[in-house]
Amino acid sequence: MSHHKENRPMDTLTTGAQNAAEHAHQSGTETAGQATLRAQIDAACDKACQAIAPAWPLDRAIAVNPHWARVGMPLRQVAARMALLGGIQVFPSRESQQQAWNEGRISPVDLELALKQVPAARLAALTSAQCLDALHAVPQLQRLPVLIDVLDNDPKRHTRLSWRQAITHQVSQTCAAFFDQHQADWQPERSRGLYAFWRYTLLHDHGIGTLMGLPDLGDALATLPATRQDAERWVMQRLGMPQAIWPDYLEAVLLTVNGWASWTAYLGWEARLEGREETHDRELLAIRLAWGAALLEGKDDAAAGQAFAALQKEWQQAPALLQQAEAALLIDEVWQVALEIGFQRPLAQQLRCSADLTCVPQKVDDQVDVQAAFCIDVRSEPLRRALETVSPTIRTIGFAGFFGLPVAYTPLATQARRPQLPGLLAPVMEVTDCIMPPGGTDHATDIRQLAAASSARLTRFALKDQWHAASRWPSAAFSFVEAAGFGYLGKLGQWLRPAGRTRVRDDLDGLPARYRQICRPQLSGQDLAAKVALATRVLHAMGLDSYLAPLVLLVGHGSQSVNNAHAAMLDCGACCGQTGEVNARSLAQLLNDVPVRAGLRGQGIVIPAQTWFVAALHNTTTDDIDGFDLDLLPPAVRPRWDRLQTVLVKAGDQVRRERAPKLGLNQDLPHDALLNQLRRRANDGAQTRPEWGLLGNAAFLIAPRQRTRGMDLAGRSFLHDYEASQDDDGSVLELLMTAPMLVTHWINWQYHASTCDPVRLGSGNKVLHNVVGGNIGVFEGNGGDLRTGLSRQSLHDGQRWRHEPLRLTVVIDASRQAIDNVIDKHAVVRQLLDNGWLHLWRFDQARLLRYEAGVWRALEWDIV
């Protein structure tokens, strides 16, 4: 087979840009023409890569809106693009909306209100009858093909994997090998980049041709462009598409490997936070384009011409098809709003009970003996409510779970550096472990103890590495269990017969018991002035700069499970998929420090001598609260902590009974029996639902606690305390609307996307997961694309979907001017609101108003 064919039909189907370049070559100005073409292709490739949202690795997994890079477009437009470019569903399915209608979850009133609320529906005079009729029809939204789809026109293709499937599998396996840093004992050569590694690998893969039904594929692969730049230009010059749709076509190509595109987007995100640039996303795009080039070489002239004609015919219609899809999805947008109104109306009724003219800031007085600051996570809401019910002298506070510390944490005797802050931000401070006995020691003793603890831990790590190496070595595969004996079987037995153990603190792994209690994380490298400035900012943001109770709890949160690749997704998103322990303990030490307190007095913040800050952790699987560094409590504080234990036990039991039916447990069991069942679930290696996580999240309230105190919000609302009267310049509100609001939006949309399209935007069946690269992500089974999003078991109970895909409703207790100032100042906030990615309400004395395109309107059901 010759691969240097003359006068191919597709060679005449070049872009105007290439024709210009060839003309320039003939006239002696080739360099300028090629430079222009190169710039145009670069711009299109960059735009396509920028459309992919990042996906964080498993060990720091956080929720992400998979459409984050597209929020500059209206939601319905994005839904149309995703349907045509990637076969991705953005709105809830019509089948699920039919079920919601049949069950009364969406009422006729909700649907009528939705028709009035959606401007395009009003303009089109859409009716309830039309919307109901549409539930019985699936919108015809045909995905646009890419080059490999039209080339795969063999009549016998049904007898093998499609080329799309085979190529996705091959590219995915290559990426898994290239990006792996932790799993394989033999690592590949990466210095020349991903594209060069893929090309080398493919040239030596003699099975891929058989898999694709192309026994002569090896000859075509020999013609692969040598560099990713050449691959991009080779393909783009031959597609024959208008330049205006290049970015759309390239985005469609990337969506065929959306999982790995999301991984390379993460690598680029992290690089930009560190002031670097990465090109992995462009390399991945070049690989997918180069596959088309290789397959094109294997086609004869007639087949290639037919393929190009089919491709061009489809894509020349792309702008019109996108408009048609957007119009067809109007009804789906109306049903989305109707589902949300069904949730919002009861919420508004609850909030109106607090939104009267007598609602004034609540004074915190001497009757309050405990203040407890919790993460705004929806799982904190039931526990806060329970604590306040059990004890009237407790005031709870909602605050982002990283507690305002922009830190990275390095555990003792390791080189690891783990971010403990939202993924939107880069760490600017460091936390390291120290050995700190109660009562203190001299500096020389501290140094000796730190060195001894580090040496002991490193020794244990070395022994464990040898143990693991023995289990991986091929010659030991069948003999390892016999050689290891009962010690290995005992570990397996803990999964088969799970015990009611409490949560294991992984950060202490390998540390001898004598050092565990006195190994404490603390800020490092900060002078006194920097510590005082940090403490001032945090106390002001938390509203703790005016009154402090004798005991102040800083309650982070973390989950408990075993054999769970996505365990980090159940931990604190504000701490980058870690527990809040490090942040809470570091801040408590900072605020208990005598020199820092003295410095705060100079800033006008007085921490009473009797006030003590205690770090704690809320175990969201079992609803226990455990304190840290209790050996450092002053004698006068210890009795307060001991008295508090009864309250914590009662509150935890109340929440466990509330959660039990959702987990299939008997809520009437005795306290100890119910707690033991939850702990056994947490330690069960076969348990696919250790807890429901942030399932059902639907609202975010930025308001004083008295707005919601005593209300049962069913664990569906993020709660962040905010007193507008203490924020004269609006700086705290600006911080809340540009950080926690974006994080909660990310969480909300990952749950939304994983529910609406569990195949393409969820990670599939957790039982079939195989971890890739140690911490990169998971395959479902042994291949295919890297899976992103939530597993089916996190959203579905085996009978029905447990999560409702609702856009977040944000409710703020602040003036119109203060809110508008933030919207006007920050483009991303304005885009989220104006393009329909979330709802925004505000309290207006005795009523609630909603934001729509710069105008504050009464809620539709208030004016019916």
Side-chain angles (χ1 to χ4, degrees):
M1 181 185 304
S2 172
H3 302 293
H4 301 282
K5 301 172 183 176
E6 300 296 331
N7 300 319
R8 283 184 163 189
M10 62 278 193
D11 290 336
T12 66
L13 301 175
T14 54
T15 65
Q18 190 188 0
N19 287 334
E22 292 175 350
H23 177 73
H25 172 66
Q26 295 171 0
S27 60
T29 58
E30 179 182 13
T31 302
Q34 288 181 335
T36 299
L37 179 61
R38 181 169 60 252
Q40 292 168 341
I41 293 174
D42 281 345
C45 291
D46 282 340
K47 187 174 181 180
C49 291
Q50 290 163 8
I52 306 297
W56 267 251
L58 294 175
D59 60 341
R60 57 185 69 174
I62 59 174
V64 181
N65 175 4
H67 308 299
W68 176 244
R70 306 179 183 104
V71 298
M73 292 181 281
L75 174 59
R76 183 154 48 90
Q77 182 181 339
V78 171
R81 288 177 58 82
M82 291 301 94
L84 267 63
L85 301 185
I88 293 170
Q89 183 157 328
V90 173
F91 289 119
S93 70
R94 294 188 180 182
E95 180 184 8
S96 69
Q97 299 289 39
Q98 178 74 68
Q99 182 178 1
W101 175 263
N102 293 341
E103 295 175 353
R105 173 59 185 81
I106 301 175
S107 71
V109 173
D110 298 331
L111 182 55
E112 287 292 342
L113 290 171
L115 287 166
K116 293 176 181 176
Q117 186 168 314
V118 178
R122 296 197 302 266
L123 187 63
L126 202 61
T127 67
S128 295
Q130 289 174 303
C131 292
L132 287 168
D133 288 343
L135 291 180
H136 303 288
V138 178
Q140 299 301 310
L141 306 174
Q142 183 63 42
R143 181 172 60 190
L144 289 166
V146 295
L147 181 57
I148 57 171
D149 297 323
V150 295
L151 290 174
D152 190 11
N153 57 5
D154 178 3
K156 298 182 179 180
R157 60 183 179 276
H158 65 279
T159 63
R160 55 168 171 79
L161 285 177
S162 72
W163 286 359
R164 177 186 281 255
Q165 293 171 319
I167 289 170
T168 297
H169 182 83
Q170 190 277 329
V171 172
S172 188
Q173 295 294 318
T174 301
C175 287
F178 181 84
F179 290 114
D180 171 36
Q181 297 282 353
H182 305 286
Q183 202 162 15
D185 291 322
W186 291 273
Q187 296 294 326
E189 168 58 42
R190 302 182 176 92
S191 62
R192 296 178 59 199
L194 175 61
Y195 178 86
F197 174 75
W198 164 80
R199 185 173 181 271
Y200 174 83
T201 301
L202 193 58
L203 290 174
H204 293 80
D205 184 348
H206 302 297
I208 186 67
T210 302
L211 186 67
M212 297 177 68
L214 294 172
D216 297 326
L217 180 63
D219 294 335
L221 293 178
T223 67
L224 279 171
T227 68
R228 62 107 174 158
Q229 294 92 339
D230 289 341
E232 291 170 350
R233 295 166 199 158
W234 197 97
V235 177
M236 294 309 296
Q237 288 174 13
R238 285 160 174 76
L239 286 178
M241 294 181 180
Q243 184 183 333
I245 62 173
W246 286 1
D248 291 344
Y249 178 82
L250 293 170
E251 186 176 346
V253 169
L254 275 178
L255 287 173
T256 65
V257 282
N258 184 58
W260 284 108
S262 299
W263 171 252
T264 60
Y266 160 75
L267 296 176
W269 179 288
E270 289 293 293
R272 286 188 293 275
L273 286 179
E274 298 170 5
R276 300 182 291 105
E277 288 293 332
E278 288 280 6
T279 61
H280 293 309
D281 49 1
R282 290 285 295 271
E283 303 259 342
L284 179 64
L285 176 57
I287 288 171
R288 286 295 288 105
L289 290 173
W291 255 117
L295 294 173
L296 188 61
E297 287 297 314
K299 285 286 186 179
D300 60 37
D301 291 345
Q306 292 170 1
F308 266 107
L311 187 70
Q312 289 180 321
K313 179 180 178 181
E314 293 282 349
W315 278 91
Q316 284 171 356
Q317 302 177 65
L321 291 173
L322 286 167
Q323 289 184 354
Q324 293 170 17
E326 193 172 343
L329 290 170
L330 175 58
I331 286 176
D332 298 85
E333 183 178 17
V334 170
W335 280 109
Q336 172 78 80
V337 174
L339 186 68
E340 290 158 352
I341 289 176
F343 164 79
Q344 291 172 336
R345 285 199 298 142
L347 175 66
Q349 182 61 38
Q350 283 185 290
L351 294 178
R352 263 196 293 262
C353 294
S354 70
D356 56 42
L357 295 176
T358 64
C359 186
V360 295
Q362 182 175 346
K363 182 181 179 182
V364 182
D365 54 32
D366 293 340
Q367 294 180 351
V368 176
D369 56 19
V370 177
Q371 290 167 306
F374 283 82
C375 181
I376 63 175
D377 187 284
V378 296
R379 292 166 292 182
S380 299
E381 184 268 325
L383 187 54
R384 291 180 62 185
R385 173 168 28 96
L387 283 170
E388 293 167 344
T389 300
V390 172
S391 175
T393 64
I394 289 181
R395 293 290 183 269
T396 68
I397 301 164
F399 193 73
F402 75 116
F403 295 110
L405 300 189
V407 300
Y409 167 58
T410 298
L412 181 70
T414 72
Q415 299 298 313
R417 184 175 183 268
R418 191 178 75 200
Q420 293 272 160
L421 77 172
L424 291 163
L425 308 173
V428 295
M429 297 181 181
E430 304 296 325
V431 168
T432 55
D433 283 333
C434 66
I435 300 298
M436 183 191 302
T441 57
D442 60 81
H443 181 68
T445 302
D446 289 344
I447 295 297
R448 287 196 298 272
Q449 288 191 329
L450 184 65
S454 299
S455 176
R457 190 176 206 184
L458 288 173
T459 298
R460 292 192 175 193
F461 281 161
L463 292 173
K464 179 180 284 190
D465 284 346
Q466 292 179 18
W467 180 268
H468 287 167
S471 69
R472 293 196 306 265
W473 196 254
S475 63
F478 296 100
S479 61
F480 177 72
V481 173
E482 181 180 352
F486 290 108
Y488 185 82
L489 295 177
K491 186 176 181 67
L492 183 61
Q494 292 174 7
W495 285 3
L496 300 177
R497 295 180 60 84
R501 299 192 318 274
T502 57
R503 179 180 164 274
V504 176
R505 292 166 60 191
D506 293 334
D507 287 343
L508 299 179
D509 187 32
L511 194 64
R514 62 184 180 278
Y515 295 115
R516 291 191 168 211
Q517 188 174 357
I518 60 176
C519 180
R520 314 180 202 270
Q522 68 174 187
L523 282 167
S524 62
Q526 301 293 312
D527 60 22
L528 180 58
K531 290 180 179 180
V532 170
L534 176 61
T536 301
R537 290 195 301 271
V538 172
L539 290 173
H540 177 62
M542 295 177 70
L544 293 176
D545 51 354
S546 57
Y547 176 85
L548 286 163
L551 188 62
V552 182
L553 302 187
L554 303 173
V555 190
H557 67 92
S559 184
Q560 180 181 353
S561 60
V562 297
N563 190 31
N564 183 1
H566 288 102
M569 283 192 176
L570 297 176
D571 284 336
C572 183
C575 295
C576 208
Q578 314 303 318
T579 74
E581 174 185 341
V582 167
N583 298 68
R585 295 178 72 185
S586 300
L587 181 59
Q589 287 189 55
L590 177 72
L591 296 176
N592 289 328
D593 186 66
V594 174
V596 170
R597 292 188 174 199
L600 286 170
R601 284 195 293 271
Q603 303 297 316
I605 300 175
V606 177
I607 298 180
Q610 71 271 23
T611 293
W612 195 258
F613 292 84
V614 176
L617 192 77
H618 169 205
N619 183 333
T620 54
T621 307
T622 62
D623 284 302
D624 290 316
I625 294 182
D626 296 316
F628 297 110
D629 304 315
L630 302 179
D631 55 330
L632 299 181
L633 291 178
V637 176
R638 187 74 204 203
R640 291 185 182 276
W641 173 260
D642 291 339
R643 288 195 297 271
L644 182 62
Q645 299 316 296
T646 301
V647 175
L648 297 181
V649 169
K650 289 182 179 179
D653 184 62
Q654 178 178 317
V655 177
R656 286 189 284 273
R657 295 187 188 284
E658 185 178 314
R659 293 175 53 222
K662 300 175 185 177
L663 296 170
L665 302 178
N666 182 359
Q667 62 183 341
D668 297 322
L669 288 173
H671 167 272
D672 290 343
L674 180 56
L675 177 58
N676 187 61
Q677 283 208 13
L678 286 167
R679 286 178 174 169
R680 287 173 63 88
R681 285 174 59 88
N683 295 313
D684 186 349
Q687 180 56 252
T688 58
R689 298 181 185 90
E691 61 159 291
W692 280 112
L694 293 94
L695 187 96
N697 70 85
F700 179 26
L701 275 65
I702 301 175
R705 177 56 171 161
Q706 63 264 31
R707 290 289 193 188
T708 55
R709 188 178 174 91
M711 292 183 187
D712 183 353
L713 297 173
R716 303 189 68 180
S717 297
F718 302 93
L719 301 178
H720 201 301
D721 280 52
Y722 172 70
E723 289 279 2
S725 61
Q726 299 177 15
D727 184 29
D728 294 336
D729 62 357
S731 59
V732 174
L733 179 63
E734 181 179 5
L735 179 65
L736 296 180
M737 291 181 67
T738 55
M741 191 173 85
L742 299 192
V743 171
T744 55
H745 159 77
W746 275 18
I747 293 169
N748 173 260
W749 263 96
Q750 183 168 76
Y751 275 80
H752 188 292
S754 297
T755 303
C756 290
D757 197 332
V759 174
R760 296 170 185 84
L761 298 179
S763 60
N765 187 347
K766 184 183 287 190
V767 176
L768 303 179
H769 283 175
N770 282 307
V771 173
V772 180
N775 67 349
I776 292 174
V778 296
F779 287 151
E780 186 182 20
N782 68 342
D785 194 13
L786 191 71
R787 299 303 298 267
T788 62
L790 299 163
S791 70
R792 185 178 180 86
Q793 284 85 351
S794 294
L795 303 161
H796 196 280
D797 64 5
Q799 300 295 323
R800 61 181 295 156
W801 294 102
R802 294 292 298 273
H803 181 72
E804 284 188 319
L806 310 177
R807 290 170 293 179
L808 196 68
T809 299
V810 181
V811 188
I812 302 179
D813 189 4
S815 69
R816 170 179 180 169
Q817 188 61 54
I819 298 173
D820 285 349
N821 286 344
V822 178
I823 296 172
D824 293 341
K825 185 176 178 180
H826 294 278
V828 68
V829 175
R830 189 164 58 253
Q831 289 171 347
L832 289 173
L833 295 172
D834 291 347
N835 291 327
W837 293 93
L838 53 76
H839 301 279
L840 178 62
W841 295 357
R842 69 176 178 88
F843 287 98
D844 181 43
Q845 296 185 347
R847 60 179 183 161
L848 289 162
L849 302 179
R850 73 174 182 87
Y851 179 92
E852 182 186 307
V855 178
W856 291 94
R857 304 183 184 278
L859 301 178
E860 274 69 18
W861 48 91
D862 289 340
I863 56 178
V864 170

